[in-house]
Amino acid sequence: MLVRSVALALVCGAVWTPEAFVLVENGVAKARIVLPPNAPPFDKRAAEILQSSVREMSGAVLPIGYESTPDPNDSIEIGFGSEKLSIDGFAIHSTGTGLKIISGGRKGSIYGVVDILEKQLGCRCYSPTVKVFPKRDTLRINAASYVSNPVNSFRAINGDFTADPDWM
Protein backbone atom coordinates (compact mmCIF):
# COMPACT_ATOMS: atom_id res chain seq x y z
CA MET A 1 0.00 0.00 0.00
CA LEU A 2 2.79 2.44 0.91
CA VAL A 3 4.62 1.67 -2.34
CA ARG A 4 1.45 2.44 -4.34
CA SER A 5 0.95 5.74 -2.48
CA VAL A 6 4.53 6.84 -3.12
CA ALA A 7 4.34 5.77 -6.78
CA LEU A 8 1.04 7.63 -7.21
CA ALA A 9 2.48 10.78 -5.64
CA LEU A 10 5.49 10.64 -7.97
CA VAL A 11 3.36 10.05 -11.05
CA CYS A 12 0.99 12.90 -10.16
CA GLY A 13 3.88 15.26 -9.46
CA ALA A 14 3.10 15.70 -5.79
CA VAL A 15 6.39 16.23 -4.01
CA TRP A 16 6.68 17.18 -0.35
CA THR A 17 9.14 19.97 0.23
CA PRO A 18 9.93 21.34 3.65
CA GLU A 19 8.95 24.91 4.36
CA ALA A 20 11.67 27.52 3.90
CA PHE A 21 12.70 29.91 6.69
CA VAL A 22 11.86 33.49 5.73
CA LEU A 23 14.49 36.11 6.64
CA VAL A 24 12.91 39.02 4.77
CA GLU A 25 9.49 39.28 3.12
CA ASN A 26 8.61 42.16 0.78
CA GLY A 27 11.52 44.21 2.13
CA VAL A 28 10.54 43.72 5.79
CA ALA A 29 12.73 41.78 8.26
CA LYS A 30 10.91 38.66 9.52
CA ALA A 31 13.82 37.18 11.49
CA ARG A 32 16.37 38.28 14.06
CA ILE A 33 19.95 37.26 14.77
CA VAL A 34 20.59 35.95 18.29
CA LEU A 35 23.95 35.44 19.99
CA PRO A 36 24.76 34.17 23.50
CA PRO A 37 25.61 36.96 25.99
CA ASN A 38 29.26 35.82 26.11
CA ALA A 39 29.64 35.43 22.32
CA PRO A 40 33.26 35.42 21.12
CA PRO A 41 34.41 38.02 18.57
CA PHE A 42 34.19 35.62 15.60
CA ASP A 43 30.50 34.89 16.34
CA LYS A 44 29.79 38.61 16.62
CA ARG A 45 31.54 39.22 13.30
CA ALA A 46 29.51 36.40 11.69
CA ALA A 47 26.32 38.15 12.83
CA GLU A 48 27.54 41.47 11.42
CA ILE A 49 28.42 39.87 8.06
CA LEU A 50 24.97 38.27 7.82
CA GLN A 51 23.22 41.50 8.85
CA SER A 52 25.13 43.68 6.36
CA SER A 53 24.71 41.16 3.52
CA VAL A 54 20.94 40.91 4.05
CA ARG A 55 20.75 44.72 4.15
CA GLU A 56 22.71 44.92 0.88
CA MET A 57 20.40 42.40 -0.82
CA SER A 58 17.00 43.52 0.46
CA GLY A 59 17.32 46.83 2.30
CA ALA A 60 15.97 45.17 5.46
CA VAL A 61 17.97 45.15 8.70
CA LEU A 62 17.91 41.99 10.79
CA PRO A 63 18.24 43.04 14.45
CA ILE A 64 21.05 41.48 16.49
CA GLY A 65 20.29 40.53 20.09
CA TYR A 66 21.88 38.63 22.96
CA GLU A 67 19.96 35.95 24.88
CA SER A 68 20.87 32.97 27.04
CA THR A 69 18.00 30.81 25.79
CA PRO A 70 16.62 32.18 22.53
CA ASP A 71 13.16 31.43 21.21
CA PRO A 72 13.89 29.16 18.23
CA ASN A 73 11.03 30.67 16.21
CA ASP A 74 11.99 33.35 13.69
CA SER A 75 15.56 33.49 14.94
CA ILE A 76 18.98 32.90 13.45
CA GLU A 77 21.04 31.46 16.28
CA ILE A 78 24.80 31.88 15.98
CA GLY A 79 27.07 30.34 18.59
CA PHE A 80 24.59 28.03 20.31
CA GLY A 81 24.96 24.26 20.18
CA SER A 82 27.29 21.54 21.30
CA GLU A 83 28.13 19.44 18.26
CA LYS A 84 31.58 17.93 17.94
CA LEU A 85 33.21 19.98 15.20
CA SER A 86 36.78 20.63 14.17
CA ILE A 87 38.36 24.04 14.61
CA ASP A 88 36.86 26.29 11.90
CA GLY A 89 34.15 23.67 11.30
CA PHE A 90 30.46 24.52 11.31
CA ALA A 91 27.02 22.96 11.31
CA ILE A 92 23.91 24.37 9.65
CA HIS A 93 20.42 23.39 10.80
CA SER A 94 17.55 25.17 9.07
CA THR A 95 13.81 24.55 9.31
CA GLY A 96 10.77 26.57 8.36
CA THR A 97 10.90 28.32 11.74
CA GLY A 98 14.58 29.06 12.31
CA LEU A 99 18.25 28.71 11.45
CA LYS A 100 21.16 27.57 13.63
CA ILE A 101 24.79 28.15 12.74
CA ILE A 102 27.02 26.23 15.12
CA SER A 103 30.78 26.79 15.23
CA GLY A 104 33.61 24.44 16.10
CA GLY A 105 35.67 27.45 17.15
CA ARG A 106 37.66 30.26 15.62
CA LYS A 107 36.06 31.26 12.31
CA GLY A 108 33.57 28.38 12.09
CA SER A 109 30.57 30.69 12.51
CA ILE A 110 31.89 33.07 9.83
CA TYR A 111 32.40 30.17 7.42
CA GLY A 112 28.87 28.96 8.21
CA VAL A 113 27.35 32.38 7.45
CA VAL A 114 29.34 32.65 4.21
CA ASP A 115 28.20 29.14 3.25
CA ILE A 116 24.53 30.15 3.68
CA LEU A 117 25.09 33.41 1.78
CA GLU A 118 26.72 31.62 -1.13
CA LYS A 119 24.71 28.38 -1.40
CA GLN A 120 21.27 29.60 -0.41
CA LEU A 121 21.21 33.30 -1.33
CA GLY A 122 23.56 33.46 -4.34
CA CYS A 123 26.09 35.92 -2.92
CA ARG A 124 29.70 35.93 -4.09
CA CYS A 125 32.87 37.62 -2.89
CA TYR A 126 35.54 37.54 -5.57
CA SER A 127 37.81 40.02 -3.80
CA PRO A 128 37.48 42.64 -1.04
CA THR A 129 36.38 45.11 -3.72
CA VAL A 130 34.30 42.81 -5.98
CA LYS A 131 31.22 41.39 -4.29
CA VAL A 132 27.86 40.26 -5.69
CA PHE A 133 24.67 40.61 -3.64
CA PRO A 134 21.55 39.69 -5.67
CA LYS A 135 18.80 42.26 -5.06
CA ARG A 136 15.62 40.64 -3.71
CA ASP A 137 12.60 41.78 -1.71
CA THR A 138 12.17 38.32 -0.16
CA LEU A 139 14.95 36.13 1.23
CA ARG A 140 14.36 32.49 2.18
CA ILE A 141 16.62 29.75 3.51
CA ASN A 142 15.67 26.23 2.42
CA ALA A 143 15.48 23.50 5.03
CA ALA A 144 18.89 21.89 5.45
CA SER A 145 21.02 20.09 7.98
CA TYR A 146 24.71 19.48 7.35
CA VAL A 147 28.18 19.69 8.87
CA SER A 148 31.42 20.96 7.35
CA ASN A 149 34.71 20.10 9.00
CA PRO A 150 37.75 21.43 7.10
CA VAL A 151 40.57 19.00 6.53
CA ASN A 152 43.23 21.71 6.61
CA SER A 153 43.86 23.89 9.64
CA PHE A 154 46.07 26.33 7.71
CA ARG A 155 44.81 28.65 4.97
CA ALA A 156 47.18 30.84 2.96
CA ILE A 157 45.70 34.05 1.61
CA ASN A 158 47.50 36.22 -0.97
CA GLY A 159 46.89 39.43 -2.88
CA ASP A 160 44.20 41.96 -2.00
CA PHE A 161 42.63 39.59 0.51
CA THR A 162 45.51 40.13 2.97
CA ALA A 163 44.21 43.67 3.63
CA ASP A 164 40.76 42.36 4.64
CA PRO A 165 40.63 41.03 8.25
CA ASP A 166 37.69 38.73 7.40
CA TRP A 167 39.98 36.74 5.09
CA MET A 168 42.93 36.47 7.49
Side-chain angles (χ1 to χ4, degrees):
M1 184 67 173
L2 178 62
V3 173
R4 283 187 203 161
S5 298
V6 170
L8 181 62
L10 291 174
V11 169
C12 294
V15 178
W16 177 81
T17 56
E19 187 177 337
F21 175 52
V22 178
L23 303 178
V24 176
E25 189 168 49
N26 298 321
V28 177
K30 296 292 182 183
R32 60 198 176 89
I33 302 169
V34 182
L35 297 158
N38 59 346
F42 289 126
D43 289 352
K44 291 177 183 178
R45 183 64 187 135
E48 292 167 357
I49 291 169
L50 181 59
Q51 183 185 54
S52 65
S53 298
V54 167
R55 182 185 316 116
E56 184 73 25
M57 286 185 282
S58 67
V61 178
L62 300 179
I64 298 174
Y66 296 87
E67 299 176 19
S68 297
T69 54
D71 179 354
N73 294 315
D74 300 324
S75 65
I76 303 162
E77 298 175 25
I78 298 176
F80 296 90
S82 58
E83 294 192 28
K84 286 196 156 215
L85 300 165
S86 66
I87 294 293
D88 288 342
F90 63 88
I92 303 288
H93 301 293
S94 175
T95 66
T97 60
L99 169 65
K100 285 188 179 190
I101 302 170
I102 303 166
S103 172
R106 287 197 324 217
K107 290 190 173 186
S109 55
I110 292 174
Y111 295 142
V113 164
V114 170
D115 188 81
I116 288 287
L117 291 170
E118 289 179 349
K119 291 181 180 173
Q120 296 258 2
L121 299 174
C123 298
R124 295 291 182 266
C125 180
Y126 297 108
S127 79
T129 58
V130 180
K131 299 177 182 181
V132 176
F133 296 100
K135 303 295 184 198
R136 297 190 191 131
D137 289 337
T138 299
L139 300 174
R140 291 184 175 90
I141 303 295
N142 294 324
S145 187
Y146 57 94
V147 171
S148 177
N149 282 309
V151 177
N152 299 322
S153 61
F154 176 78
R155 297 172 191 221
I157 306 297
N158 297 306
D160 291 342
F161 290 103
T162 59
D164 187 338
D166 287 334
W167 290 89
M168 294 308 293

